[in-house]
Amino acid sequence: MLENLNRIEVVNPVDLIISQIRDLISSGSVKPGEKLPPERKLAEHFGVSRNQVREAINKLQFYGIVKVQPQSGTTVTGIGIVALEGLITDILKIEDSDLKSLVDTRILLEKEAARLAALNRTNDDLVQLTNALKEYKNKLSASDHAVEEDLMFHIKIAEASNNKVLKSLMMIITPDIVKKFIQYKVCNVANNNQTLEEHQNILDMISNQDAAGAVRAMEVHLSDIKKFSNNKN
Amino acid sequence: MLENLNRIEVVNPVDLIISQIRDLISSGSVKPGEKLPPERKLAEHFGVSRNQVREAINKLQFYGIVKVQPQSGTTVTGIGIVALEGLITDILKIEDSDLKSLVDTRILLEKEAARLAALNRTNDDLVQLTNALKEYKNKLSASDHAVEEDLMFHIKIAEASNNKVLKSLMMIITPDIVKKFIQYKVCNVANNNQTLEEHQNILDMISNQDAAGAVRAMEVHLSDIKKFSNNKN
DNA sequence: TTGTTAGATTTGGTCGACCAATAATTGGAT
DNA sequence: ATCCAATTATTGGTCGACCAAATCTAACAA
């Protein structure tokens, strides 16, 4: 019965304003490098309050579409078509993605991170990794729930890879992975002692600067997760 | 002379508030799942206006640290340590990264996207890719500057891969790549006709569902860029 | 004609007050 | 004692007004 009722579309007004401004850019009215009309004009033109326009511009700034300069104006950065193809809503909305995409992509990044870490790690990186592993062990013996420490170890690997972009991307998807894992209660599946051993293996390979070995160790480590995600979706 | 003067630290007040709230979370005063103190209390406690607190909370919501529920409160999501290790500032600040990291990571993502696209592409994907290639060709013959159309083709490949996360990540780093390319004037280096041919090759491989071939074609296509980035940094 | 400067205007940033929806409290009926 | 409805308090959201910095204008001097 109820499912036949149309879902009420409660559209956020700022999202509407965002797409309006987007149209302004994609139609060519305002080209990259040029200034957006002032907030007051936009507010008047759209028939909304200035605060709504401000919030919309704020979001656009987050996405890197525009850059606001106090007491001067808001300029459109030269990112062009890419962000305008109705894609804005896609960026950073990974939470709707299916678990498989998330895990597959994570594995891709993690393997590369392990490889680069084996090649580029400094001695300080090894210390950091060892510490992270130790903290993970401690947390495990205390509370048998150490998702954050687990992921922290992986983040440290990304750091050791000396590729900031890789690290940033991993950090972008990591929270979503945690969310999904908690949602599906993956933790119960994992054997914590085995995880610990696998972490140690990865660390050894990185320590020995064995790139291929590190990739392999990481692959083994993530195989369980991959299996799980394949079953789900 | 001038370089001996200390640079004036013009710290954004909201960033300070953000770290204050972060401390509130990492110190354990507010655990994941619990509610943050109301905006008014926070404003009073920090001795700032409520708007500043609102803006800070807005940013935290963007980063996925908290979730605001109108007329109810702001709850801390369970993302834990990861976002708190002083890492917030790292996320999405890819623009400071060196070109090599950017290009290396892009190549990693692009090869995987090409592989998955060859495996998963639908007929509609082929139409989209063909159109994107055509638009690129048109723009080239008209203006010999078609960076956006070029990248659009790559985005379409990511779409055809049927891995939303991969696509999102590519879209996150793409604007930065464009920026760097314009900065270093990479466009002059590129031979546009050759690029066109390479795009056609990739499309053919994807069309034939030849995964290995698609990866290879993508590798060839990006090899010039890789060479360039290796020389720079 | 050109360069400079004082004033007016426009800009995004900030603030305090008010709004509607939610949550908490309280009072009474059973 | 328990449950429920009406009331009150609290919450994030919205708005219009004001602020200081940047920009523009134009008048004046060289």
Side-chain angles (χ1 to χ4, degrees):
Chain A
M1 180 69 94
L2 275 168
E3 61 265 26
N4 285 336
L5 296 174
N6 282 336
R7 190 197 171 98
I8 297 177
E9 287 278 345
V10 52
V11 280
N12 192 335
V14 301
D15 285 338
L16 284 177
I17 300 172
I18 286 183
S19 56
Q20 295 264 3
I21 296 179
R22 198 181 50 190
D23 292 344
L24 215 59
I25 299 175
S26 63
S27 73
S29 302
V30 185
K31 294 184 179 61
E34 292 183 354
K35 275 196 172 69
L36 222 57
E39 297 177 348
R40 287 169 176 83
K41 294 278 172 57
L42 287 174
E44 185 186 4
H45 184 257
F46 295 146
V48 298
S49 138
R50 211 188 113 203
N51 287 41
Q52 311 237 20
V53 174
R54 295 196 94 243
E55 199 172 335
I57 290 181
N58 245 323
K59 282 199 178 182
L60 288 170
Q61 189 183 20
F62 255 85
Y63 293 134
I65 316 279
V66 302
K67 179 173 174 61
V68 333
Q69 290 140 321
Q71 279 76 39
S72 168
T74 304
T75 59
V76 177
T77 64
I79 112 169
I81 287 182
V82 175
L84 300 176
E85 276 273 331
L87 310 171
I88 295 180
T89 48
D90 283 349
I91 289 188
L92 290 183
K93 289 232 172 173
I94 301 185
E95 65 254 19
D96 292 336
S97 306
D98 51 320
L99 185 59
K100 190 176 182 316
S101 293
L102 211 46
V103 170
D104 283 352
T105 310
R106 181 189 168 194
I107 292 176
L108 179 72
L109 297 178
E110 291 267 18
K111 281 166 68 177
E112 179 71 359
R115 193 179 69 83
L116 291 176
L119 296 176
N120 301 328
R121 100 282 187 289
T122 64
N123 286 336
D124 181 59
D125 288 328
L126 288 184
V127 174
Q128 297 263 347
L129 283 167
T130 309
N131 285 340
L133 191 55
K134 200 185 299 172
E135 280 187 27
Y136 177 60
K137 201 186 295 186
N138 290 341
K139 187 71 181 292
L140 265 191
S141 58
S143 78
D144 88 14
H145 171 80
V147 184
E148 278 121 21
E149 283 75 10
D150 182 350
L151 287 163
M152 207 58 212
F153 179 74
H154 288 272
I155 297 279
K156 289 294 178 190
I157 292 177
E159 229 161 60
S161 77
N162 201 28
N163 182 321
K164 290 180 199 165
V165 180
L166 207 53
K167 183 189 162 201
S168 293
L169 293 186
M170 270 186 50
M171 288 186 40
I172 287 172
I173 66 173
T174 298
D176 295 294
I177 291 190
V178 177
K179 211 183 297 173
K180 288 283 183 184
F181 274 21
I182 291 173
Q183 182 182 335
Y184 290 131
K185 298 190 176 48
V186 178
C187 311
N188 306 341
V189 177
N191 181 328
N192 286 325
N193 283 327
Q194 184 184 338
T195 301
L196 193 58
E197 198 175 311
E198 287 166 358
H199 276 197
Q200 184 66 57
N201 274 342
I202 297 171
L203 177 51
D204 290 343
M205 292 296 181
I206 292 175
S207 177
N208 294 335
Q209 302 189 291
D210 179 352
V215 172
R216 219 178 314 121
M218 182 64 83
E219 212 161 12
V220 171
H221 177 47
L222 296 174
S223 64
D224 283 340
I225 298 173
K226 185 179 174 63
K227 224 175 291 168
F228 179 80
S229 76
N230 280 335
N231 289 341
K232 269 296 170 190
N233 294 80
Chain B
M1 178 71 93
L2 276 168
E3 60 266 26
N4 284 335
L5 296 173
N6 282 334
R7 191 200 170 97
I8 297 176
E9 287 278 344
V10 53
V11 281
N12 191 333
V14 301
D15 286 338
L16 283 177
I17 300 173
I18 286 184
S19 56
Q20 294 265 2
I21 296 179
R22 200 181 48 190
D23 291 345
L24 216 59
I25 299 175
S26 62
S27 73
S29 302
V30 185
K31 293 184 179 58
E34 292 182 355
K35 275 196 171 67
L36 222 56
E39 295 178 351
R40 286 171 177 83
K41 294 277 171 58
L42 288 173
E44 186 185 3
H45 184 257
F46 295 146
V48 298
S49 136
R50 213 186 111 204
N51 287 41
Q52 311 236 22
V53 174
R54 295 196 91 244
E55 200 173 331
I57 290 180
N58 245 324
K59 281 197 177 183
L60 288 170
Q61 189 183 20
F62 255 86
Y63 293 133
I65 316 278
V66 302
K67 179 173 175 59
V68 332
Q69 291 139 321
Q71 278 75 41
S72 168
T74 305
T75 59
V76 176
T77 63
I79 114 168
I81 286 181
V82 176
L84 301 177
E85 275 272 330
L87 309 170
I88 295 180
T89 48
D90 282 353
I91 289 188
L92 291 183
K93 289 232 170 170
I94 302 185
E95 67 255 35
D96 292 337
S97 306
D98 51 319
L99 185 59
K100 191 176 181 314
S101 293
L102 211 47
V103 170
D104 284 351
T105 310
R106 182 191 167 191
I107 291 176
L108 179 72
L109 296 178
E110 292 267 18
K111 280 165 69 177
E112 179 72 0
R115 194 179 70 83
L116 291 176
L119 296 176
N120 301 328
R121 100 283 188 288
T122 65
N123 285 337
D124 181 58
D125 288 327
L126 288 183
V127 174
Q128 298 264 347
L129 282 168
T130 309
N131 284 340
L133 191 55
K134 200 184 299 171
E135 280 187 26
Y136 177 60
K137 200 186 297 185
N138 290 342
K139 187 71 180 295
L140 265 191
S141 58
S143 78
D144 86 13
H145 172 79
V147 185
E148 277 121 24
E149 284 75 9
D150 182 349
L151 287 163
M152 206 59 214
F153 179 74
H154 289 272
I155 295 278
K156 289 293 179 190
I157 292 177
E159 227 161 63
S161 77
N162 201 29
N163 182 322
K164 290 180 199 163
V165 180
L166 206 54
K167 182 188 161 203
S168 293
L169 293 187
M170 272 187 49
M171 288 186 39
I172 288 173
I173 66 173
T174 299
D176 296 294
I177 291 189
V178 177
K179 211 183 298 172
K180 288 283 182 184
F181 274 21
I182 292 173
Q183 181 181 335
Y184 289 131
K185 299 192 175 47
V186 178
C187 311
N188 306 340
V189 178
N191 182 326
N192 285 325
N193 283 327
Q194 184 184 339
T195 301
L196 193 58
E197 198 176 309
E198 288 166 358
H199 276 196
Q200 184 66 56
N201 275 341
I202 297 171
L203 176 52
D204 290 343
M205 292 297 181
I206 292 175
S207 176
N208 294 335
Q209 303 191 291
D210 179 351
V215 172
R216 219 178 314 121
M218 182 63 83
E219 212 159 14
V220 170
H221 177 48
L222 296 174
S223 63
D224 283 340
I225 298 173
K226 186 178 175 62
K227 225 173 293 168
F228 179 79
S229 76
N230 280 335
N231 289 342
K232 270 296 169 192
N233 294 78

